[in-house]
Amino acid sequence: MRTLALDIGNTAVKYGCFERDELLEWASGQTPAQVREAVLRLQPEHVVVASVAEPTAVWAAELRALVLGRVLEFVPATTPLPLANAYATPHTLGADRLAAAVGAAWLLPGRDVVIVDAGTAIKFDVVEGGQVFRGGSIAPGLAMRFKALHAFTGRLPLVAPPVNATDEVALTGTDTESAIRSGVLNGAAAEVAGLLAAYAARYPKLAVVLAGGDAPFFRARLKGPIFVVPELVLIGLHRILVHHVAT
């Protein structure tokens, strides 16, 4: 079975095409025209579309005109899942968070897993025993932190992060720009490391999965075994679609 997963995020539209669980192709920063071209070229049997930025109805209607099989609009509160959702308010839960949890549970079956999705926001989410999604935390991402310092102060400049994610960031800034970089980047790294340590104390055999556009930055600064899976949300959406088709 060939499927296509479409993830409409806050900053980018991504798609992934799967053949029997193998990711054949994926791309980010896609326009509607590019998604249409990919669907026509790849000819998936079924499609799943999820969004945290806009309603999925318009995208789904376009896809239904192109695909012979099912077009699933993923709704966290109502779409059947291959794991239990213990989130208290599933109607407020972002589709990307739940899809990432499904993806991590499939990649690491039976494990306690914490997912760190470092993108527009830095999101921590926990799956217990590969079976139950518990929830987690949401904090501003790196770009948002830089923008907030500039937007909510009178004179602080808008500072860009280093081009190379592995570049060392000075602990002590010697001017305003380097001080902002130190505060945002070193502070976020310490925050993520501290939360991971707290989760590791709670779950002794914890597995850590890192995803999102800023994953390379955090991977370079975190210790211990970490699975880096940039396409985690797409994998989860694919597995949700497979589960939906099967049931």
Side-chain angles (χ1 to χ4, degrees):
M1 180 174 67
R2 177 170 289 192
T3 68
L4 187 129
L6 184 62
D7 173 27
I8 305 166
N10 288 303
T11 56
V13 174
K14 313 174 190 71
Y15 75 80
C17 182
F18 296 82
E19 183 88 53
R20 297 186 183 90
D21 293 330
E22 179 184 354
L23 181 59
L24 300 178
E25 175 181 313
W26 74 293
S28 183
Q30 298 295 287
T31 65
Q34 288 172 318
V35 171
R36 179 185 177 88
E37 183 279 328
V39 172
L40 291 173
R41 174 171 51 82
L42 296 166
Q43 297 187 345
E45 297 173 56
H46 307 290
V47 174
V48 57
V49 55
S51 175
V52 296
E54 58 187 86
T56 58
V58 174
W59 287 89
E62 172 77 7
L63 292 165
R64 288 190 179 101
L66 304 175
V67 178
L68 293 177
R70 300 186 188 184
V71 175
L72 172 65
E73 295 181 64
F74 176 44
V75 180
T78 58
T79 301
L81 299 171
L83 52 68
N85 184 3
Y87 206 67
T89 56
H91 58 284
T92 69
L93 178 59
D96 56 342
R97 293 176 62 195
L98 193 52
V102 171
W106 181 73
L107 290 171
L108 297 162
R111 298 285 301 276
D112 293 325
V113 181
V114 62
I115 301 127
V116 185
D117 189 344
T120 303
I122 299 173
K123 293 163 287 191
F124 276 70
D125 283 302
V126 175
V127 178
E128 287 185 348
Q131 297 180 336
V132 182
F133 174 77
R134 289 295 180 190
S137 62
I138 305 172
L142 299 182
M144 194 182 298
R145 296 177 193 220
F146 282 118
K147 290 175 182 177
L149 282 173
H150 174 62
F152 295 107
T153 61
R155 299 180 64 183
L156 290 180
L158 179 59
V159 176
V163 175
N164 188 343
T166 60
D167 285 352
E168 185 177 353
V169 180
L171 181 61
T172 304
T174 56
D175 56 30
T176 300
E177 190 168 307
S178 61
I180 290 173
R181 276 203 185 90
S182 177
V184 169
L185 299 176
N186 291 325
E191 174 186 321
V192 168
L195 284 170
L196 285 178
Y199 277 117
R202 181 172 295 183
Y203 301 99
K205 296 183 179 180
L206 183 71
V208 179
V209 179
L210 187 57
D214 288 325
F217 170 83
F218 289 102
R219 183 64 192 96
R221 290 158 176 82
L222 295 173
K223 298 179 181 179
I226 295 174
F227 299 92
V228 181
V229 188
E231 65 278 12
L232 183 64
V233 172
L234 296 174
I235 292 172
L237 289 174
H238 162 72
R239 292 307 308 170
I240 291 166
L241 178 57
V242 169
H243 180 77
H244 178 81
V245 171
T247 57

